[in-house]
């Protein structure tokens, strides 16, 4: 693994179903993030984690939950998917304390909720 | 609150044309500023960055200068290539050395360069 991996690459999901998007990084970064990308809206932060064992809410957290059991993994769960959650989801990471605050992004998961 | 505004797209140029993508921001405090690029089917990659007023970020022929007086960070390139076709995102982050970064993105600008 080099960098950040996300799975699945794409998924079609029936409304009301539960779904977990996976994210793994091998850079030993402390901080990790989940964004959703929607046309005309750019990327919006869903949840973040500054270090293993802690999480926080971003700009659009409703309907999503996260956990951070270890440094490398940061799964995003949709407990009961709705069509408005159709989007492209990006996971990112950064080294905590980096003065330039650069983030590194995964390739994304394209999710369609019908 | 913090926000980033980019010029509306899409932008279509011919190869070797001059590129400007405007970006302005509002922020409480002194942000770091970034341009990220997203090539088709890929995630975002950092293109360039600037961390204080009057800093100029540059990479791959692209440049942007942090202008505090106009709260702007416009992206420029003197001669674009077909391979520059992508979506460009302006973003800001407040400098937080102990609590991680929280990027705020603009809407993105789609650039298409024709041969």
């Amino acid at each position: 693994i080099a960098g950040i991996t996300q799975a699945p690459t794409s998924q079609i999901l029936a409304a009301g179903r539960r779904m977990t998007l996976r994210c793994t990084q091998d850079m030993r970064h402390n901080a990790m993030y989940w964004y959703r990308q929607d046309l005309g809206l750019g990327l919006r932060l869903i949840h973040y984690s500054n270090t293993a064992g802690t999480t926080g809410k971003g700009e659009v957290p409703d309907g999503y939950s996260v956990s951070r059991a270890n440094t490398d993994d940061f799964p995003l769960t949709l407990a009961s998917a709705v069509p408005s959650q159709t989007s492209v989801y990006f996971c990112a990471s950064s080294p905590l304390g980096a003065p330039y605050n650069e983030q590194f992004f995964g390739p994304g998961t394209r999710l369609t909720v019908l | 609150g913090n926000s980033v505004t980019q010029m509306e797209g899409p932008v279509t140029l011919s190869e070797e044309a001059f590129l400007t993508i405007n970006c302005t921001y509002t922020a409480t405090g002194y942000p770091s500023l970034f341009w990220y690029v997203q090539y088709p089917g890929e995630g975002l990659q950092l293109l360039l960055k600037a961390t204080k007023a009057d800093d100029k970020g540059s990479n791959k022929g692209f440049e942007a200068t942090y202008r505090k007086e106009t709260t702007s960070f416009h992206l420029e390139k003197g001669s674009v290539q077909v391979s520059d076709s992508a979506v460009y995102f302006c973003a800001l982050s407040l400098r937080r050395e102990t609590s991680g970064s929280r990027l705020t993105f603009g809407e993105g600008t789609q650039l298409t360069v024709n041969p």
Side-chain angles (χ1 to χ4, degrees):
Chain A
I1 297 179
I4 298 179
T5 58
Q6 293 184 234
T9 302
S10 65
Q11 182 74 46
I12 298 174
L13 189 66
R17 296 297 295 269
R18 180 184 180 88
M19 176 73 190
T20 295
L21 308 184
R22 299 184 298 278
C23 174
T24 299
Q25 54 107 354
D26 66 353
M27 297 176 284
R28 307 305 293 172
H29 287 167
N30 284 311
M32 297 187 74
Y33 314 85
W34 274 105
Y35 295 89
R36 59 176 291 172
Q37 182 181 24
D38 302 291
L39 191 64
L41 296 176
L43 278 77
R44 293 179 292 169
L45 182 66
I46 304 171
H47 284 288
Y48 67 95
S49 169
N50 288 332
T51 188
T54 68
T55 62
K57 294 182 179 180
E59 182 183 355
V60 288
D62 294 343
Y64 305 95
S65 63
V66 292
S67 62
R68 187 85 185 279
N70 57 61
T71 297
D72 298 343
D73 301 300
F74 191 44
L76 176 73
T77 297
L78 289 67
S80 179
V82 295
S84 61
Q85 292 177 310
T86 294
S87 186
V88 181
Y89 291 85
F90 288 99
C91 181
S93 71
S94 69
L96 194 64
Y100 301 122
N101 294 335
E102 176 180 350
Q103 293 186 13
F104 299 81
F105 285 79
T109 294
R110 182 174 295 276
L111 181 67
T112 302
V113 182
L114 302 176
Chain B
N2 304 321
S3 66
V4 176
T5 302
Q6 291 181 230
M7 65 183 292
E8 292 186 10
V11 175
T12 301
L13 296 174
S14 298
E15 203 164 25
E16 299 183 0
F18 184 85
L19 169 70
T20 299
I21 301 178
N22 290 336
C23 171
T24 58
Y25 68 90
T26 59
T28 54
Y30 301 96
S32 295
L33 300 174
F34 305 83
W35 278 100
Y36 280 83
V37 59
Q38 183 180 31
Y39 298 103
E42 298 182 8
L44 279 71
Q45 304 172 23
L46 180 66
L47 180 60
L48 54 83
K49 60 192 176 189
T51 59
K52 61 182 187 296
D54 299 325
D55 268 3
K56 176 184 286 187
S58 62
N59 186 29
K60 301 181 180 180
F62 291 89
E63 293 183 340
T65 301
Y66 189 141
R67 301 290 189 195
K68 185 179 177 182
E69 64 276 13
T70 55
T71 62
S72 65
F73 193 54
H74 305 321
L75 183 68
E76 297 182 337
K77 187 174 185 182
S79 177
V80 294
Q81 305 300 312
V82 172
S83 57
D84 294 326
S85 298
V87 181
Y88 292 82
F89 291 93
C90 186
L92 70 81
S93 175
L94 286 171
R95 197 174 293 120
R96 304 183 186 194
E97 295 190 357
T98 57
S99 60
S101 59
R102 303 278 300 276
L103 280 171
T104 299
F105 286 90
E107 307 86 9
T109 301
Q110 172 76 55
L111 171 67
T112 301
V113 181
N114 295 318

